[in-house]
Amino acid sequence: QVQLVESGGESVQAGGSLTLSCTASGNIFGIDVSGWYRQTPGKQRELVASIISDGITNYADSAKGRFTISRDDLKNTMTLQMNGLKPEDTAVYYCKVRGRSFTTPGYNEYWGQGTQVTVSS
């Protein structure tokens, strides 16, 4: 079994900063792709940022210049540093990783439970 534990979601004022963390544990290794997604009511979940094992990152246009994604492979942890937060960043943020397990062949994707970020104007 794989667990993804997220933390860091809070209510902040516009212009503030937050750091979201996601730690994977359990039956998972060799995480090659990690990412943060967000979802608001009535909308599809959207990619915010992703990072692959060689460090290459990808950001949604809305996140470029404000958010930074990073990963620590020794700790199986991924973080999203969010600066200059705007009310439109309000959403539930989910982490997703793709990795291998000892019991299931190939690569599998796993989602965290989500953490609420609320930005007030």
Side-chain angles (χ1 to χ4, degrees), residues 4-10 18-23 36 77-80 82 93 95 112-117:
L4 293 183
V5 178
E6 300 159 349
S7 63
E10 291 182 16
L18 284 175
T19 301
L20 305 183
S21 295
C22 173
T23 300
W36 286 96
T77 296
M78 172 179 58
T79 62
L80 183 68
M82 304 188 294
Y93 285 70
C95 66
Q113 80 285 357
T115 186
Q116 177 71 47
V117 172

Side-chain angles (χ1 to χ4, degrees), residues 25-105:
S25 62
N27 186 12
I28 188 170
F29 68 96
I31 295 173
D32 62 348
V33 182
S34 306
W36 286 96
Y37 293 72
R38 67 187 183 188
Q39 188 171 24
T40 55
K43 292 189 176 181
Q44 290 210 348
R45 197 169 295 185
E46 62 177 8
L47 175 69
V48 177
S50 64
I51 183 169
I52 60 178
S53 54
D54 60 1
I56 294 177
T57 57
N58 179 51
Y59 294 93
D61 288 342
S62 59
K64 288 177 181 176
R66 299 188 299 128
F67 296 179
T68 302
I69 189 171
S70 60
R71 56 189 280 170
D72 183 336
D73 291 339
L74 292 179
K75 298 179 180 179
N76 269 358
T77 296
M78 172 179 58
T79 62
L80 183 68
Q81 175 66 43
M82 304 188 294
N83 299 322
L85 284 162
K86 305 174 181 179
E88 51 263 42
D89 294 319
T90 296
V92 178
Y93 285 70
Y94 299 88
C95 66
K96 186 180 82 170
V97 300
R98 191 179 81 152
R100 302 175 66 183
S101 76
F102 296 101
T103 53
T104 304

